[in-house]
Amino acid sequence: MALTQPVEDPAYTVTYDGTAIGADISDLVTSLTYTDVEHGESDTLELTCEDRDHRWKRAWFPELAAKLAATLGYADGRILNCGAFELDEIAWDGAPDTVKIKALATVVTPTLRTSQSVGYDATTLVEIVETVAQRNGLTPRHDIEAAIRLDRVTQNHERDLPFLCRLAEDYNYAFAVRGSFLDFWSIPALEARGAVLTLDRRDLKAFSLALKSQDTDKEGTVDYQDPDQKQARRGKDARQAAPGDSHRLLKRVRSQDLAERQAQAHLHRRDKRQLAGSLTIVGEVRLVAGINLQLTGLYQLDGKYHVERSTHRLARGGGYESEAQLYRVEPA
């Protein structure tokens, strides 16, 4: 007797300013795309719809800054909550007439858009992150080490988002603003977690992985001025097995420990993509930025990989697909 596999039925919901509109627009939607980013960029939601009767130019004309929310998954209950977004861009095209609505998870308030000139003296990284969060009415979520004490950090006519992004990269954290939350998570701690799912070569619709030495370094150093001894000193971190050159930075830090932390962070940021790439699979609600997954069936490419970015796309005629940008953190 022949066995048959059930056809999975993709499902989604969309709300507009708190009102569910998924049923109203279901016949018009040609694609729904959610992109989840671990660090430095806003998560995005994009909705493309037909506009043959011009309703999106008339009665359904969208409002900039309207609030959107969405879920994506399957009718059997496997659901990915994409979160809350603010409408950022609306584009009309023709022919055929379509409308594309793009929304951001980072609500760019006047405070976030304003350049700040602030000096933070004798403080900690935790205190800086929580101060900036409070200034913008955000709730901080983080696992920042309390031991990271900073002599002086200057925010010189710089907006809060790039300022925090810079600090995160100096100390190896992933930073993002999602709705009303400001997230600051240790990248090594995220990489050390177990794999959320295992994907075999047979599960991959497509993949592209590259092993390279360019833009990777075997050694990182940070030169700093000792505030007590008034002498130039150096913090260093190295990867014995990594190819490449030495990467040198001149930074203002207060101690050998902080110099070594920054050397380690910048070396890791450059070195981690030595084996990296992307993959595409049938829609998988667990495939989100920040998780680890296990790849098998690729021989010497097998191992634990960290997902930096995921994209979930539901398209008319194409079904539900998930994509990931990732790098290997541990060989098999």
Side-chain angles (χ1 to χ4, degrees):
M1 183 176 69
L3 297 177
T4 60
Q5 296 292 331
V7 177
E8 296 181 312
D9 187 14
Y12 69 92
T13 65
V14 178
T15 63
Y16 181 94
D17 278 342
T19 301
I21 62 171
D24 296 330
I25 64 174
S26 60
D27 292 337
L28 304 175
V29 174
T30 58
S31 69
L32 175 67
T33 304
Y34 165 58
T35 300
D36 179 28
V37 186
E38 180 179 55
H39 167 71
E41 297 179 40
S42 176
D43 295 350
T44 60
L45 180 70
E46 294 189 12
L47 189 67
T48 302
C49 299
E50 294 179 352
D51 193 29
R52 289 175 293 181
D53 58 5
H54 309 294
R55 70 180 68 185
W56 294 98
K57 305 181 189 72
R58 297 186 296 186
W60 286 14
F61 194 91
E63 296 283 342
L64 283 175
K67 301 297 188 292
L68 294 180
T71 66
L72 184 60
Y74 294 99
D76 64 7
R78 287 173 292 156
I79 294 296
L80 171 61
N81 184 356
C82 305
F85 301 83
E86 185 174 282
L87 205 156
D88 178 67
E89 181 180 317
I90 311 155
W92 291 265
D93 293 305
D97 283 69
T98 60
V99 61
K100 178 179 287 186
I101 297 171
K102 180 179 180 180
L104 304 178
T106 303
V107 178
V108 184
T109 64
T111 309
L112 284 173
R113 286 195 297 263
T114 303
S115 296
Q116 308 284 343
S117 292
V118 184
Y120 304 88
D121 295 308
T123 186
T124 65
L125 183 58
V126 170
E127 290 170 340
I128 293 175
V129 169
E130 292 184 347
T131 296
V132 176
Q134 183 179 22
R135 181 161 67 223
N136 292 280
L138 300 170
T139 300
R141 300 185 297 192
H142 62 77
D143 60 355
I144 304 171
E145 290 182 59
I148 303 179
R149 300 196 60 84
L150 309 175
D151 181 41
R152 179 172 178 81
V153 176
T154 302
Q155 185 177 0
N156 186 16
H157 199 65
E158 189 175 13
R159 287 172 292 138
D160 284 341
L161 291 181
F163 170 65
L164 287 183
C165 189
R166 173 166 61 86
L167 278 182
E169 291 173 358
D170 277 347
Y171 295 99
N172 224 3
Y173 286 85
F175 158 67
V177 174
R178 294 180 173 89
S180 62
F181 294 101
L182 189 157
D183 291 341
F184 223 86
W185 304 112
S186 166
I187 294 176
L190 293 173
E191 294 174 348
R193 293 178 178 178
V196 172
L197 69 154
T198 297
L199 297 175
D200 187 74
R201 170 66 183 88
R202 293 167 295 182
D203 300 318
L204 308 183
K205 299 182 71 172
F207 73 93
S208 176
L209 296 171
L211 180 67
K212 59 183 180 179
S213 62
Q214 185 177 357
D215 298 327
T216 63
D217 298 307
K218 63 182 179 182
E219 182 180 87
T221 62
V222 170
D223 294 332
Y224 71 100
Q225 185 76 18
D226 188 315
D228 299 320
Q229 301 297 323
K230 307 299 182 184
Q231 294 179 350
R233 298 189 182 277
R234 175 171 296 178
K236 180 183 292 187
D237 189 56
R239 304 279 193 275
Q240 290 187 354
D245 302 317
S246 294
H247 183 58
R248 187 174 176 182
L249 297 168
L250 180 62
K251 307 284 287 186
R252 180 190 174 103
V253 293
R254 72 189 303 268
S255 68
Q256 179 81 15
D257 175 64
L258 290 184
E260 290 176 356
R261 284 176 182 269
Q262 290 201 13
Q264 184 179 46
H266 285 270
L267 182 59
H268 178 263
R269 187 157 55 91
R270 292 171 63 87
D271 183 55
K272 66 185 181 182
R273 293 184 180 84
Q274 186 177 353
L275 177 56
S278 62
L279 57 81
T280 303
I281 60 175
V282 172
E284 170 57 76
V285 299
R286 294 174 294 172
L287 187 64
V288 295
I291 70 158
N292 300 316
L293 60 84
Q294 199 76 23
L295 278 185
T296 63
L298 293 172
Y299 305 100
Q300 293 196 48
L301 300 177
D302 288 356
K304 185 170 77 170
Y305 285 73
H306 185 70
V307 178
E308 293 185 290
R309 176 192 299 258
S310 70
T311 300
H312 297 261
R313 183 175 296 106
L314 181 59
R316 182 186 295 175
Y320 174 24
E321 285 187 345
S322 299
E323 301 173 4
Q325 293 181 13
L326 69 177
Y327 59 88
R328 191 168 71 176
V329 296
E330 185 180 302

